[in-house]
Amino acid sequence: MRERRRPYRSGVRRGRLVKVKGAGGAVSRWLARCMPCVWCTSLQLLTTIFTLVVIALCIFLGFLLHKFPPGTGSPSPLKTPRPAPPLDVKPSRSIPIPLVDSSTKSGVEMAKGPASSTVDDWPEQKFILYSEANCRGRAHTVHNTHIEQKCTKCFDTCAKKFADSTPIQGNIASVQVFGEHSVVSLWAVCKGTWRYPEGEGFLTTVFPTDGCHNININWPPVHFEFHLQSKLEIAKKLNVKKQGNPYEKNPIKDPQQVMNKIAYYSSAAVPNHPRGDPNKYITFLKDCGGFNNIRMGFEHAILMAWVTKRTLVLPPPEGWYLIDFGPIKRGGSYSKGQTDFKEYFDMEHMMKGISVLTAKEFYEKEKSRLSLPDKFGGDALTRKNDEWKAYLFNNFGGQAWTPLKNVILDPSVQEYMRNPHGNKKDDLMKGKRPIDFGQDLLSKTVIHFPSCHGPHGDQGDYRFLGQISNAVLFADRTKEIEFKRFWKNFIHYPPQVFEAASHMIARMGLFSYTAIHIRRNDLQYKEVFQNAQATLRNIDAFLYPGETLYVATDETNDGFFDALREKHKVYQWKDVVDAAKGIQYSEKVINIIEQTICTGGRLFFGTQKSTFSSYIFRMRGYVGAPDTNEYWHNIHYTGIDYVDKFAQPKVTGSNYMMEDPGMWKDLE
């Protein structure tokens, strides 16, 4: 049998070159020479990779320490967090519970106290959640020893269940609180599970004395926090109440002195904003809502004229909803049947700052140059004219710039965004489309804002409701202050409104009473309605014993407020109207006179979701009232500063029912 020849193998064996035949021999010789270098290079590569991995790990650990610093209440990612005790089971009393001050950045750990404490520092507290109203149905008990991921003495309903496995979230109809000096705050966001800005989602508070508290289904809570009224806080509050209202001791009851205080505008002020081309215009239509919606739309049109330095053209007079028609609960309708803006605003004073024309004056001036139809001549524009509304839109278009979805950046989007550290207000821009006028739009003779009258008579983006403070954001801080000063001094109610209100306020004494706006009838948000007993319970922590109250309301049942009268002297419109005899004013303006009376109170409690209430807060800020915080009679206040501060509204670009304190604070 022929022996098979064993082939040579190329390579290195024991450091020696093995003889190789054929073309592979050259490769083998090359490998023999380069192998030491290859091993050296591989070692260097591995060392480099290892170094990079170590650096990346250090960076990641640094990020985790920055994101979850020790003591924030967030579980460390480097160790397994201690699990929360089982629901309805109190943990051992030796378990330390960290208490984090309310100033923490997360804004969710509200419990006051030293850096660490034990449950022995607090008395036993608990609340019971029920699936049905009047504290019936499924029940779930939570003690103040409960721990969530991001806070202590709190409870999130998120992902929690009743004993029968029914989800708690979305199925709470009532709650009852137990424990000495206990207070439980209710929130609309799961602050124990995720981070939220401080105070976001606050709803109200519940006390043991409230008994069974039925949940407002329109504002269902998902987070609950325990608070404690210390004996020192209670004693301090009682001592302050015993001292009484300091403004009642030496009341200001001279109408002229009251007028000097509440007429906040300066008649001697001179605007320094230059006027532009007198032949370019801003036109607009009246809003289709009630007075304060009309006011907001009017303010928006004024601001458009002020920013663009154009002449403002007023729409023809027509009937105003709840002023001239509609379900008017007080005073009935008026024979005039239409209303003009000059009845509600000091047009003479406003015209010192911007140019203003009536629709008729605009027609007479521009009918030739703009080829305006003859049918709008004569008295056609002195009353409601639907053809005029259609003509403006068809010929000049309409800006679909609702402030709820858009924000105008001045002088331009590019200029505003250019400086990341400039006068930027990101919170007011959130969720909005940044826009500007642009040269093409500014070149037009007329820029039109057709409130409630889009291309097909629709509202939608053609309604200009919103807080005037965030309709336009200015890159130049100086210009922003100039705008706010102009607003305070030149955009206000007529002098006779302040004069009549001064006499009525003097009847009670300036700041010698607390004012409340209780809206009962024509507000579409029925969830804010409540009885007088609930109102008194909610605001009692802030009232002095027997303190005088002024109630502005559309409630027609006089007995509705008997619960207030049992403990306080109550004034209403009928009790002060005769104090202003001899002062000429239209019955139409009773609403804004009452706003001004509320401005003169020591405190003011408004109705949530009411723009009537929100404007009073701005007026109080302008006046410099003793307390310019924004309070609501629908919220139960505790008298505990660090709890009640969360009830202050959070101003955003999309919430048009909240007044921005910057309108009266940022004037310097």
Side-chain angles (χ1 to χ4, degrees):
M1 187 175 190
R2 186 177 176 181
E3 183 179 356
R4 254 177 137 177
R5 227 182 234 189
R6 186 178 180 182
Y8 288 102
R9 295 186 180 181
S10 62
V12 178
R13 184 181 300 165
R14 295 182 183 179
R16 296 174 307 194
L17 179 66
V18 179
K19 185 175 180 182
V20 180
K21 290 186 177 182
V27 176
S28 299
R29 288 190 295 274
W30 178 82
L31 286 173
R33 289 194 302 270
C34 295
M35 189 60 68
C37 296
V38 170
W39 283 110
C40 181
T41 302
S42 299
L43 182 61
Q44 290 177 340
L45 181 61
L46 289 173
T47 303
T48 301
I49 292 173
F50 177 80
T51 302
L52 291 175
V53 170
V54 171
I55 293 173
L57 181 60
C58 290
I59 293 174
F60 178 69
L61 292 176
F63 167 78
L64 291 179
L65 289 174
H66 174 74
K67 188 72 174 178
F68 304 102
T72 62
S74 301
S76 170
L78 302 181
K79 61 181 180 181
T80 303
R82 184 181 70 230
L87 299 179
D88 293 334
V89 178
K90 292 186 285 186
S92 167
R93 297 187 68 81
S94 63
I95 295 178
I97 300 179
L99 300 183
V100 186
D101 188 77
S102 61
S103 61
T104 54
K105 291 182 179 180
S106 68
V108 296
E109 301 88 5
M110 313 298 183
K112 276 194 168 183
S116 64
S117 179
T118 66
V119 291
D120 290 319
D121 293 331
W122 284 40
E124 182 177 346
Q125 299 172 315
K126 69 178 181 180
F127 60 82
I128 304 177
L129 303 175
Y130 295 91
S131 61
E132 297 178 13
N134 302 317
C135 295
R136 296 181 180 181
R138 303 179 187 88
H140 184 86
T141 302
V142 179
H143 295 273
N144 66 340
T145 50
H146 187 82
I147 302 171
E148 289 290 349
Q149 188 178 13
K150 294 189 179 298
C151 61
T152 62
K153 301 186 185 301
C154 64
F155 176 77
D156 275 2
T157 65
C158 307
K160 306 293 196 314
K161 296 182 179 181
F162 287 106
D164 64 355
S165 298
T166 300
I168 296 178
Q169 184 175 355
N171 291 295
I172 304 173
S174 54
V175 60
Q176 188 164 5
V177 175
F178 303 87
E180 184 182 10
H181 306 317
S182 296
V183 181
V184 173
S185 58
L186 280 57
W187 303 72
V189 290
C190 284
K191 301 173 76 68
T193 306
W194 295 283
R195 290 180 182 271
Y196 291 92
E198 186 178 55
E200 181 173 325
F202 180 86
L203 294 174
T204 190
T205 58
V206 181
F207 290 69
T209 53
D210 295 337
C212 182
H213 174 81
N214 287 330
I215 299 297
N216 188 327
I217 61 173
N218 293 282
W219 296 323
V222 295
H223 176 78
F224 301 78
E225 291 190 16
F226 288 98
H227 308 282
L228 183 66
Q229 296 185 90
S230 71
K231 294 180 180 179
L232 180 62
E233 287 173 325
I234 295 172
K236 181 180 178 181
K237 184 167 60 174
L238 290 175
N239 184 50
V240 170
K241 285 202 170 193
K242 287 180 181 178
Q243 294 176 8
N245 183 355
Y247 293 96
E248 283 188 322
K249 297 176 181 178
N250 296 293
I252 299 175
K253 292 197 170 185
D254 176 55
Q256 187 56 54
Q257 290 183 350
V258 176
M259 178 71 172
N260 293 341
K261 180 66 176 177
I262 66 168
Y264 54 81
Y265 54 90
S266 173
S267 57
V270 178
N272 57 0
H273 190 65
R275 304 193 187 208
D277 188 344
N279 298 316
K280 288 190 174 182
Y281 306 93
I282 293 289
T283 58
F284 72 103
L285 301 180
K286 174 196 68 65
D287 187 82
C288 47
F291 169 73
N292 281 281
N293 288 348
I294 294 172
R295 171 186 57 78
M296 285 184 169
F298 183 46
E299 286 189 316
H300 182 271
I302 296 171
L303 182 56
M304 297 303 99
W306 188 86
V307 169
T308 60
K309 303 174 186 176
R310 291 175 170 236
T311 297
L312 180 67
V313 179
L314 302 175
E318 63 175 296
W320 289 13
Y321 180 62
L322 299 181
I323 300 294
D324 300 304
F325 68 94
I328 302 170
K329 297 297 182 181
R330 287 179 53 187
S333 59
Y334 306 96
S335 58
K336 184 177 179 181
Q338 62 181 25
T339 298
D340 199 331
F341 280 99
K342 66 182 179 182
E343 297 179 59
Y344 281 92
F345 295 92
D346 188 345
M347 302 302 297
E348 182 179 350
H349 202 191
M350 187 176 76
M351 290 171 66
K352 292 183 179 180
I354 62 171
S355 299
V356 180
L357 293 177
T358 66
K360 182 178 180 179
E361 290 170 339
F362 168 70
Y363 174 81
E364 294 296 336
K365 179 183 176 184
E366 296 291 354
K367 62 181 179 181
S368 297
R369 186 167 74 97
L370 299 180
S371 301
L372 301 177
D374 293 339
K375 63 182 177 181
F376 297 126
D379 294 330
L381 298 181
T382 60
R383 57 186 178 274
K384 181 179 179 180
N385 193 316
D386 290 335
E387 288 186 286
W388 176 249
K389 296 176 184 179
Y391 179 84
L392 289 175
F393 191 93
N394 293 335
N395 287 270
F396 304 118
Q399 302 310 119
W401 286 3
T402 172
L404 301 182
K405 298 180 181 179
N406 306 277
V407 59
I408 301 171
L409 303 184
D410 180 84
S412 66
V413 172
Q414 182 179 6
E415 186 67 23
Y416 185 90
M417 297 293 194
R418 181 174 298 167
N419 185 357
H421 305 293
N423 190 40
K424 294 184 68 177
K425 298 184 178 180
D426 293 337
D427 288 346
L428 299 183
M429 291 182 59
K430 191 175 181 180
K432 290 188 174 185
R433 177 175 65 108
I435 55 177
D436 56 33
F437 280 94
Q439 291 305 312
D440 290 342
L441 187 58
L442 290 175
S443 65
K444 296 183 178 181
T445 302
V446 176
I447 301 176
H448 183 50
F449 292 89
S451 303
C452 299
H453 290 79
H456 306 291
D458 58 324
Q459 298 178 18
D461 294 338
Y462 296 92
R463 203 170 180 194
F464 306 98
L465 302 180
Q467 291 301 328
I468 200 64
S469 61
N470 53 55
V472 178
L473 300 182
F474 298 92
D476 183 356
R477 167 74 174 166
T478 301
K479 190 172 182 180
E480 178 188 338
I481 293 174
E482 181 186 343
F483 142 66
K484 291 178 178 178
R485 287 178 177 173
F486 168 76
W487 226 256
K488 176 184 177 182
N489 287 315
F490 295 93
I491 312 301
H492 55 80
Y493 295 147
Q496 62 268 27
V497 168
F498 291 94
E499 185 180 4
S502 295
H503 284 75
M504 299 178 192
I505 291 172
R507 169 74 58 89
M508 298 175 286
L510 181 64
F511 304 141
S512 298
Y513 59 94
T514 284
I516 316 172
H517 172 226
I518 300 178
R519 194 163 173 182
R520 294 281 305 162
N521 286 305
D522 60 6
L523 186 65
Q524 64 266 43
Y525 306 107
K526 306 304 181 186
E527 63 269 20
V528 304
F529 292 178
Q530 62 187 23
N531 58 40
Q533 291 92 335
T535 292
L536 183 60
R537 176 203 66 196
N538 287 352
I539 70 176
D540 185 65
F542 286 159
L543 299 181
Y544 292 107
E547 181 175 7
T548 299
L549 303 180
Y550 182 84
V551 178
T553 183
D554 58 353
E555 175 58 58
T556 57
N557 178 10
D558 189 60
F560 182 84
F561 300 106
D562 286 346
L564 299 181
R565 295 189 180 97
E566 289 178 4
K567 293 188 176 182
H568 298 271
K569 182 174 179 58
V570 177
Y571 283 90
Q572 291 181 253
W573 174 260
K574 60 185 176 59
D575 303 309
V576 298
V577 62
D578 63 318
K581 286 182 178 179
I583 300 174
Q584 298 296 318
Y585 61 86
S586 167
E587 287 187 347
K588 288 185 178 184
V589 299
I590 290 176
N591 58 341
I592 61 177
I593 293 177
E594 285 210 276
Q595 281 184 314
T596 311
I597 294 173
C598 291
T599 299
R602 178 182 70 88
L603 298 176
F604 171 66
F605 293 89
T607 294
Q608 288 178 304
K609 297 190 175 183
S610 167
T611 51
F612 180 98
S613 290
S614 68
Y615 190 65
I616 294 171
F617 292 122
R618 193 201 302 179
M619 294 176 70
R620 288 175 60 79
Y622 285 156
V623 165
D627 189 338
T628 57
N629 284 319
E630 300 183 36
Y631 300 116
W632 313 93
H633 77 94
N634 318 88
I635 291 178
H636 193 171
Y637 293 95
T638 66
I640 305 173
D641 291 342
Y642 87 100
V643 177
D644 291 335
K645 74 175 183 178
F646 297 124
Q648 288 303 298
K650 308 303 178 287
V651 178
T652 64
S654 58
N655 191 342
Y656 74 95
M657 298 173 186
M658 299 293 187
E659 195 67 42
D660 182 4
M663 284 299 292
W664 60 86
K665 290 182 177 180
D666 300 337
L667 298 175
E668 301 296 335

